[in-house]
Amino acid sequence: MRAFIVRPFGKKEGIDFDAVEADLISPALDELGIGGRTTIEILGQGNIRTDMFHLLLTADLVIADLSIHNANVFYELGIRHAFCDRHTFLIKSSGDEVPFDLKTDRYFSYQRDHPGDGVKALTAALRQTLDSEDADSPVFQLIPDLKAQDRAGLVKVPADFREEVTLARARKAAGDLALLAEEVLRFGLEWAEEGLREVGEAQFRIKDFGSASETWETIRRRYQSDDPQANQRLATIFQKTGDLARSDQAVERALASSDCSVEARAELHALHGSNEKTRWLAEWQGQPAERRAEAALISPFLARSLDAYSHGFSQDVNHYYSGLNALALATIQEGLARAHEEVWADGFETDEEAAAKLHRLSLRRQRLAGAVEFSLEAARSRLARIGGKDSWLEVSRADFTCLTSKRPARVGRQYRQAIAEIPPFDLDSVIRQLVIFENLGVLPDNVGAALEVLRARQQGSVRETKAQAPARVLVFTGHRIDAPDREAPRFPPRAEGKARAMIRDAVAAELEGVDGDVIGYAGGASGGDILFHEVCEELGVATRLFLAGPRDDYVRASVQEAGPDWVRRFDQLHARLESQTRVLSDRLELPRWLRSAPDYSIWQRNNLWELENGLMHGSASTTLVALWNGEPGDNAGGTEDMVRMAQERGARTVILDAGELVDG
């Protein structure tokens, strides 16, 4: 997060405002992990007014010192209050008066001679302000329907960052996306919120729901808990992971937002309908075959799901998905009610009430059918105008035909045409929905014709199989072989045999008692990295090679100075693991968007990248094996840094005392 401090500069009217920032404000912001600056730091960087406006509107927190009647401070505070509804914090020196128009606002008071005495109290007050969802701007308090300025239009995400996200998404590289999320948060970049949104959306699209959940929750926690986009994504994620209660909560939060669009509302009500449908399925699918239909009919979740889908369709009639689901459930409910009239009637006081309700249900189904047909044809017309094509729209039209047609042969033919360009393994969801009808005995002829076509398409096809997750991931980090001119020995060449034995013992110990595959992740530097790969090959452990840059650049930086034999071993390793080699960057330097990050290098990024990829399998399944002498490295990004990051993330760490390589 970033703060912007609005204050006078230097000493004025007996107050040293530079000292107030240094002794009071900055320590409090540091404690909260918030970066920030004042306008004095941008004087030499361009148009100060433009920069000032930008910072006032995009800062996560603005702190304004109103101790004296400074025109610039009040001007900037007025801009902030006019465009931003929350997270503006007012401070003043104790005993000083403020203008009449601001007398009713709350202030934090500090001692002008000893401002540092208030750090602890200010930290707590700032944390409370950031946690609050209430408007603190008097403008927004007086005009409740006023909309705050959307920061997304003011903050530009760097193009090269977007390219990294796009590439990681295309490769379905979940660890790479986790690296980008970590870096955006670590360095408090001005565009962090929008950058996180792009990462979270990519994680969602590649179905890395665990990481996507963490990213979207971070956006809610750090920026805005009622954020409609975050809540909509979380509603879907929680549904996919089976946490229906939290999914419902996210739906409610998103719907409560005034910024929620019509299209989003339709989708959210459909999500709620899907949650209720899942509960409905759980009530009867485990029942014996002869009891399923009755259990399905009397379940309250059937009507709840139908109502939720119908509500979604009423929000946006272009959202044919919700309408089609409502029509399917209405068809099931009516079909079950007519097939089990006594069970249906038991839910009403009289037979007349039961008959009237069934008649209204039939009319509802008919109205839904007409509206859904119109919606589907409208969607098809829109696509035709732009020359587009959507195979899943054609599947939805086939589903509609199955629900409404009286000719099973037509149903089968329409499904055959609709699925012509859809891979067989993508038809599971279509088949699952039809199996519901099959199990309940609703529309048996139409459903039978549809399933015959769909199952025939799948029969004999090569099914998509999910890669088996390894039982344990070993991530290695360790010292390189000492260069000939190294003054203080750390890994002398003569100790190679001892280092190999230490690494071998550590890997062998990790293999004990593990039920499943073990995989190793490491770089390719001379010394520990290459030894780890060689040991793993001897023990039958597959490894992946992580390189910070292209082969030639990497060899020059991390292998060559150890001598030609190590280059030869690297080339053998590289050739053997060619299909299992990942390259972080096309050059051994940070991307432009990261070059201003303090104390960060391509090697530190490489470590974090390797570790994040390992942790994609879960911290409980990840072990960091570190050949380390326990001392700080020569530069940022060394073994010390890797060990610290692994421990922070809850990974098991096995430290091999590299001090023995010198002492021995």
Side-chain angles (χ1 to χ4, degrees), residues 5 7-12 14-27 65 91 110-119 122:
I5 304 167
R7 66 172 179 86
F9 297 103
K11 293 183 179 180
K12 292 181 174 63
I15 303 173
D16 186 343
F17 289 102
D18 295 345
V20 172
E21 178 174 343
D23 299 341
L24 173 64
I25 302 174
S26 290
D65 191 331
I91 66 173
Y110 62 84
Q111 296 295 323
R112 66 169 58 198
D113 296 326
H114 303 283
D117 292 349
V119 170
L122 178 60

Side-chain angles (χ1 to χ4, degrees), residues 66 74 77 81 90 98-107 138:
L66 307 182
F74 290 118
L77 176 61
H81 275 166
L90 308 182
V98 296
F100 175 79
D101 288 343
L102 295 173
K103 278 186 177 293
T104 59
D105 291 341
R106 296 175 62 186
Y107 297 85

Side-chain angles (χ1 to χ4, degrees), residues 6 29 71-72 141 201 234 253 309 312 351 368 476 496 657:
V6 178
L29 293 177
N72 287 333
Q141 289 172 345
E201 188 66 14
L234 288 169
R253 289 195 302 264
Y309 277 120
D351 290 344
L368 274 169
F476 180 83
E496 179 188 336
D657 185 4

